[in-house]
Amino acid sequence: MKILTSVQLKAVDRYTIEQEPVKSIDLMERVSVAMTRELLSRWPVQTRFVVFAGPGNNGGDALAIARLLYKAGAEDMSVFLFNVSGRLSEDCHANMLRLKDCRHVRFEEITTQFDFPDISAEDVIIDGLFGTGLNKPLSGGYAGLTQKINEAKAKKVSIDIPSGLMCEDNTYNVMTGVVKADLTLTVQMPKLSFFFPENQRFVGEVVAVDARLHPEAIRQAESSIYLLETEDVKKMLRPRPVFAHKGTMGHALIVSGSYGMAGATVLCARACLRSGVGKLTVHIPELNNNIMQCTVPEAIISHDMSDIIISKAIPTADFDALGIGPALGTEDETAEALKDFISHHDGALVVDADALNILGGHPDWLKLLPKDSILTPHPKELDNLVGQCQDSYDRLMKARALAVNLQVYIIVKGHNSMICTPAGRIIINPTGNAGMATAGSGDVLTGMLTGLLARGYMAGEACQIGVYLHGLAGDIAKERYGEESLVAGDIIDSIPAAFKQLND
């Protein structure tokens, strides 16, 4: 699914109106009918709805929804239309006139002063003040109004986007002027800003309402940002050949662990094996040998010259993929070993954790990474690579620029992990849950990616399949154990069920 900008969404609306053809007021009615249906599926008609409408088309949507709720039997309703400039959009004005025909609706047009109404916890606020066309922070009376809305105990539903929030970049927004919605009924598709963690408190639950916008307009829109979908992943999966054997299913190498940190290696190795690889070799400090032999008997063990750290690189030509970094440590000898590994490895490569921390301290070494390498930083690790970031949007843009510059894939890990590709695309993963915010979850992803690469998937395919399966396995584990008790090992145990769900 394409994620479009506010400018592109406006163009898609215009194309739909011209080519369907449909009047803009009728397109607004179509959207409002769908949103009203969603509202009535959640709250009974006896609910008191308090509607705040702005002067633009977002306000027009709100007025249309108020009318449709009233006609469905919701008679306890107060509607406030803010028209302080004396200029309403054409469709907003038309819907105001339609609403005025509903004689028992308490309607007030605000042109100057406004006394905020009494609102109880049982009421529902509908926020239709400003939509995706907003391009500057709310200030003055509107900022005060959004703060009053946020202070109310009622549930809050925003139309298309919480008022005050920008579609994409909120780096310089004043967030005290943004409505904190419990539910956002967004038109057609989520907006990019919905996927950033700092905006979760504003968007709440997101439901995309199908406005039946013209499919050709969406197809023609040139977007570099996509939301990964189940069917996309299914198409990439390769059936396991009937006559496959371990020698034809890939040989992976994982370089991981320092003494006392063997757990990360165990998790990474187990996840790699669960991802379909034929053989796995794990290069570890010798003192981690017994732990690995007992916990991952399927893995081949390669001992480093050091008992406690990774101190020397080994030849990698015989391996189909290399994963390096979990619990590696950042000692000088380890750093030099990492440099040797990435300098002499020409194949598929996954770089994670301490390997990223080392590269952050040696930025010149980034140029040594093979083309199409996969880097898997969490936000702090990414900041070490690209410099301090102001927010998630800034971080994502810098990650994309680095991916293009180095011609690598960068997976910005988070609730919605985002893949930045060498071509400048951003692919957002929809699977996963808060229970996966647990130590070792990233090590599991590294193992899965390494296994998929060794199995024969291209780097772009491995990234998409890997993050989707990782999140899906976490979702399956959540159903089994709940979010609070979920640990990284539960994700690994759920990988087979995740594969089966996709294959079925």
Side-chain angles (χ1 to χ4, degrees):
M1 175 193 293
K2 292 180 181 178
I3 302 296
L4 303 182
T5 66
S6 57
V7 174
Q8 289 174 314
L9 287 167
K10 189 175 181 179
V12 169
D13 277 353
R14 186 166 57 250
Y15 186 100
T16 303
I17 290 166
E18 294 172 355
Q19 299 298 322
E20 187 170 329
V22 60
K23 294 180 180 179
S24 60
I25 188 72
D26 292 335
L27 181 59
M28 183 176 287
E29 188 79 0
R30 180 192 299 176
V31 172
S32 300
V33 167
M35 290 189 176
T36 302
R37 188 180 300 119
E38 182 67 29
L39 288 167
L40 291 175
S41 73
R42 293 168 180 259
W43 290 282
V45 291
Q46 294 80 13
T47 303
R48 179 185 178 226
F49 293 95
V50 182
V51 181
F52 295 95
N57 283 350
N58 194 252
D61 289 331
L63 297 176
I65 289 169
R67 169 174 46 82
L68 292 166
L69 285 171
Y70 174 77
K71 290 189 173 182
E75 297 184 356
D76 190 3
M77 188 182 316
S78 299
V79 182
F80 302 95
L81 171 61
F82 290 82
N83 185 19
V84 295
S85 66
R87 295 190 303 273
L88 300 178
S89 73
E90 183 178 344
D91 289 343
C92 183
H93 183 264
N95 269 308
M96 178 188 70
L97 297 179
R98 290 179 179 182
L99 183 64
K100 283 185 174 180
D101 288 338
C102 302
R103 297 181 180 179
H104 300 293
V105 172
R106 292 185 292 277
F107 172 79
E108 185 177 349
E109 185 175 359
I110 312 301
T111 57
T112 54
Q113 297 297 316
F114 172 65
D115 294 323
F116 197 81
D118 292 329
I119 298 177
S120 74
E122 289 74 33
D123 298 339
V124 173
I125 292 173
I126 297 176
D127 158 40
L129 291 171
F130 294 97
T132 58
L134 189 70
N135 57 15
K136 62 182 179 180
L138 294 183
S139 60
Y142 281 122
L145 176 59
T146 59
Q147 290 174 22
K148 285 286 188 183
I149 290 173
N150 289 338
E151 290 169 4
K153 302 299 182 184
K155 292 291 186 183
K156 304 164 189 72
V157 181
S158 286
I159 297 170
D160 202 14
I161 190 170
S163 292
L165 190 69
M166 312 292 185
C167 250
E168 295 89 37
D169 184 5
N170 286 272
T171 304
Y172 300 104
N173 200 355
V174 180
M175 306 311 283
T176 54
V178 179
V179 168
K180 295 179 180 176
D182 298 289
L183 170 66
T184 298
L185 300 178
T186 195
V187 178
Q188 199 70 34
M189 65 190 68
K191 287 37 176 182
L192 178 60
S193 61
F194 293 1
F195 296 101
F196 298 137
E198 60 265 36
N199 296 334
Q200 171 57 35
R201 61 194 171 115
F202 301 109
V203 299
E205 179 189 356
V206 176
V207 174
V209 175
D210 186 7
R212 306 200 306 279
L213 297 178
H214 204 296
E216 183 61 21
I218 296 174
R219 191 189 69 79
Q220 290 182 11
E222 295 183 2
S223 176
S224 62
I225 305 175
Y226 294 79
L227 182 65
L228 190 58
E229 297 185 89
T230 305
E231 290 305 313
D232 299 329
V233 180
K234 284 185 175 182
K235 290 175 184 176
M236 296 178 207
L237 289 176
R238 302 178 184 180
R240 208 166 181 87
V242 175
F243 289 97
H245 58 80
K246 65 181 181 181
T248 62
M249 298 308 291
H251 190 174
L253 171 65
I254 289 174
V255 179
S256 169
S258 51
Y259 182 60
M261 297 290 288
T265 313
V266 171
L267 293 168
C268 189
R270 289 183 58 216
C272 183
L273 289 163
R274 284 294 190 188
S275 298
V277 71
K279 293 189 291 184
L280 168 64
T281 293
V282 183
H283 185 68
I284 55 172
E286 190 161 0
L287 283 176
N288 286 350
N289 176 79
N290 291 352
I291 295 173
M292 290 302 301
Q293 294 281 21
C294 292
T295 54
V296 195
E298 300 92 344
I300 304 163
I301 306 299
S302 166
H303 295 135
D304 193 87
M305 295 173 61
S306 169
D307 289 343
I308 58 174
I309 64 171
I310 300 298
S311 64
K312 294 289 182 182
I314 62 172
T316 61
D318 293 336
F319 300 100
D320 298 296
L322 165 63
I324 187 167
L328 199 65
T330 56
E331 289 79 4
D332 290 344
E333 286 180 273
T334 304
E336 289 298 326
L338 171 66
K339 182 181 179 183
D340 286 345
F341 270 116
I342 63 176
S343 297
H344 298 101
H345 181 73
D346 294 327
L349 175 64
V350 182
V351 185
D352 183 33
D354 280 334
L356 293 171
N357 291 327
I358 292 171
L359 292 175
H362 300 81
D364 290 345
W365 294 1
L366 288 168
K367 300 173 184 176
L368 302 175
L369 291 168
K371 184 181 177 181
D372 291 338
S373 296
I374 302 173
L375 282 62
T376 61
H378 58 56
K380 185 176 179 181
E381 290 165 346
L382 183 56
D383 287 358
N384 288 335
L385 296 174
V386 300
Q388 192 64 38
C389 300
Q390 297 188 60
D391 61 8
S392 296
Y393 179 84
D394 183 35
R395 184 174 292 113
L396 182 62
M397 293 303 106
K398 287 179 178 177
R400 174 162 69 176
L402 183 63
V404 172
N405 182 40
L406 298 177
Q407 286 295 287
V408 299
Y409 291 85
I410 298 178
I411 300 174
V412 184
K413 292 187 293 193
H415 176 75
N416 293 111
S417 292
M418 300 187 184
I419 304 166
C420 300
T421 77
R425 296 176 69 194
I426 295 171
I427 303 168
I428 303 171
N429 179 53
T431 59
N433 60 83
M436 298 174 71
T438 184
S441 181
D443 303 320
V444 173
L445 177 61
T446 296
M448 294 176 72
L449 292 168
T450 307
L452 290 166
L453 288 172
R455 167 80 168 74
Y457 288 99
M458 302 298 290
E461 296 173 325
C463 286
Q464 294 177 70
I465 297 169
V467 295
Y468 190 93
L469 275 173
H470 182 251
L472 181 57
D475 290 338
I476 293 169
K478 172 191 169 183
E479 292 302 311
R480 189 176 302 165
Y481 302 111
E483 284 187 347
E484 294 297 338
S485 298
L486 197 153
V487 296
D490 301 331
I491 302 172
I492 298 170
D493 293 340
S494 301
I495 293 173
F499 266 115
K500 188 173 186 299
Q501 185 170 315
L502 278 178
N503 285 321
D504 287 348

